[in-house]
Amino acid sequence: MQEEWEATYLSPFASFSTKTKGRIRDEEECDVRTCYQRDRDRIIHSKAFRRMKDKTQVFLSPEGDHYRTRLTHTLEVSQISRTCARALMLNEHLTEAIALGHDLGHTPFGHAGEAELNLLSSAGFEHSRQSLRVVDVLEKKGQGLNLTFEVRDGILNHQTKGKPSTLEGKIVRLCDKIAYINHDIDDAIRGQLLKEEDLPGEYTAILGGSVRERLNTMIHDLITNSLNQNDIKMSQPVYQAMMGLRAFMFEHVYRNPMAKKEEKKARKLLAALYEYYISNPDDLSEGYQILARQEGTETAVCDYIAGMTDRYAVMKFQELFEPKFWKV
């Protein structure tokens, strides 16, 4: 019934469940859910998804409960992406699965952690590739989640340089930016790094003078310019203003010494953990020891550290490098 509904109501440009390119391993289909619904559910029930609640988005250890984490960012991307997919009559379930899985491979301590692992690893490190590795290899004790090609493709290609093969993947690629630009402005204002009036007028004149107005402008623009087309795009003025605001955020927030005052400590912490486990692979947990024998110590150590939450990374550092005092 779900598949028949898709055939009747979705756009001809949508990705239909019946036309999936399939999974890495063939398996019997569910009688209640489409393949993309199953993928969404597998991601939500994964350990990596749960860990995102304790991973940094932008601000390390913020003093307040309302700053975004990697998980709340993911949920906002999912909500915006689903709104766009529904309006364009594309496959909302595929869109949701890609959005929920796109950041599963992110390191502790946000992009600072990613930059440090990229520096330390001879093979480099990129969170989009790691997200795919999480769903293909690391989840379910090395079995992976066995997701469909379309979800895997969207996860791998969600960054600016990516080229998703489905319109649903292209939606997530743009909505990821729409989400983080706007919620990072909101968090920066909350953290008193910015005031609304600090944002360049050339961009706010096009996009709006509040987070709510900018979200409304960007989402409507994406939908209007993509409706009944075999592409996902925004108008040039709105897209250029969005990317200009993104560049402003990189200069004034993402690289702001006040926002990033703890980053050096975080990077040193991850570097210390990395060097320790490279030298002591037998101290990795059992699953990662097996992985080290199969794919090499460096790969296993990167997987282990990338999977840590901020809190767990700090705990392991304290356990390994700080002296334990007698309890009185």
Side-chain angles (χ1 to χ4, degrees):
M1 289 171 61
Q2 293 276 354
E3 291 168 349
E4 288 174 3
W5 184 92
E6 288 183 4
T8 304
Y9 293 105
L10 291 187
S11 162
F13 303 120
S15 299
F16 297 94
S17 302
T18 54
K19 296 182 179 179
T20 176
K21 293 184 180 179
R23 305 180 185 277
I24 297 173
R25 299 181 301 278
D26 290 337
E27 57 182 69
E28 185 178 347
E29 290 297 335
C30 177
D31 60 343
V32 175
R33 299 165 297 167
T34 68
C35 57
Y36 301 138
Q37 287 176 293
R38 291 183 83 188
D39 285 359
R40 174 204 60 198
D41 295 350
R42 290 177 182 186
I43 289 168
I44 288 176
H45 288 283
S46 68
K47 291 180 179 178
F49 186 81
R50 296 196 292 275
R51 289 197 300 268
M52 287 196 293
K53 68 183 175 66
D54 287 322
K55 291 195 177 193
T56 291
Q57 172 64 20
V58 172
F59 293 88
L60 296 181
S61 302
E63 295 180 2
D65 294 331
H66 298 133
Y67 292 87
R68 272 70 172 191
T69 65
R70 189 61 58 185
L71 180 60
T72 55
H73 159 72
T74 293
L75 295 176
E76 291 185 36
V77 174
S78 175
Q79 179 267 315
I80 295 170
S81 298
R82 288 172 55 204
T83 295
C84 294
R86 188 182 305 132
L88 296 171
M89 296 176 288
L90 298 176
N91 197 312
E92 189 177 341
H93 297 134
L94 171 57
T95 306
E96 184 179 20
I98 295 169
L100 293 175
H102 81 281
D103 270 355
L104 291 176
H106 246 300
T107 62
F109 310 120
H111 288 284
E114 180 175 17
E116 188 63 23
L117 277 188
N118 184 54
L119 184 68
L120 292 168
S121 172
S122 62
F125 183 92
E126 191 173 50
H127 78 268
S128 56
R129 287 191 284 112
Q130 189 67 15
S131 294
L132 184 63
R133 182 167 171 79
V134 167
V135 300
D136 280 355
V137 177
L138 300 179
E139 276 293 323
K140 296 186 70 174
K141 298 181 179 180
Q143 297 179 54
L145 301 181
N146 196 30
L147 304 182
T148 56
F149 167 85
E150 292 78 12
V151 174
R152 295 171 61 247
D153 170 81
I155 288 173
L156 180 63
N157 290 290
H158 77 270
Q159 292 180 274
T160 301
K161 65 181 180 180
K163 295 181 179 179
S165 64
T166 66
L167 296 190
E168 291 82 0
K170 290 180 179 180
I171 285 177
V172 175
R173 180 176 168 272
L174 272 177
C175 289
D176 183 32
K177 294 177 183 59
I178 292 173
Y180 74 66
I181 290 170
N182 284 289
H183 68 50
D184 291 349
I185 289 173
D186 189 38
D187 281 354
I189 291 172
R190 178 175 290 107
Q192 299 182 341
L193 292 180
L194 283 179
K195 296 177 182 177
E196 177 64 39
E197 52 267 31
D198 294 332
L199 301 176
E202 60 187 299
Y203 306 136
T204 57
I206 296 171
L207 300 175
S210 69
V211 170
R212 180 177 178 274
E213 289 178 9
R214 286 187 287 273
L215 280 170
N216 188 61
T217 298
M218 293 180 192
I219 293 168
H220 275 82
D221 188 79
L222 185 154
I223 292 168
T224 301
N225 287 277
S226 305
L227 194 62
N228 298 321
Q229 295 193 54
N230 191 19
D231 197 10
I232 302 298
K233 57 186 178 181
M234 303 169 78
S235 67
Q236 276 301 107
V238 170
Y239 181 77
Q240 288 173 0
M242 180 181 78
M243 296 305 284
L245 204 53
R246 178 177 179 266
F248 172 86
M249 290 296 289
F250 267 95
E251 182 179 354
H252 294 274
V253 175
Y254 303 142
R255 300 188 182 117
N256 184 299
M258 185 176 173
K260 298 303 184 184
K261 61 184 178 181
E262 299 295 297
E263 272 197 0
K264 287 184 179 179
K265 297 177 186 176
R267 291 186 66 153
K268 287 181 178 179
L269 183 153
L270 290 187
L273 290 176
Y274 183 89
E275 295 301 331
Y276 177 84
Y277 286 113
I278 287 289
S279 301
N280 301 275
D282 290 345
D283 287 350
L284 292 168
S285 60
E286 183 180 356
Y288 290 99
Q289 288 185 40
I290 294 171
L291 198 61
R293 292 192 290 269
Q294 293 173 340
E295 299 192 43
T297 299
E298 190 177 56
T299 297
V301 171
C302 275
D303 288 339
Y304 184 47
I305 292 177
M308 292 180 176
T309 62
D310 296 18
R311 183 170 54 189
Y312 186 78
V314 171
M315 185 193 75
K316 292 305 292 185
F317 180 86
Q318 292 172 337
E319 179 184 306
L320 293 170
F321 299 109
E322 292 186 5
K324 297 180 180 178
F325 295 97
W326 291 102
K327 292 182 180 179
V328 178

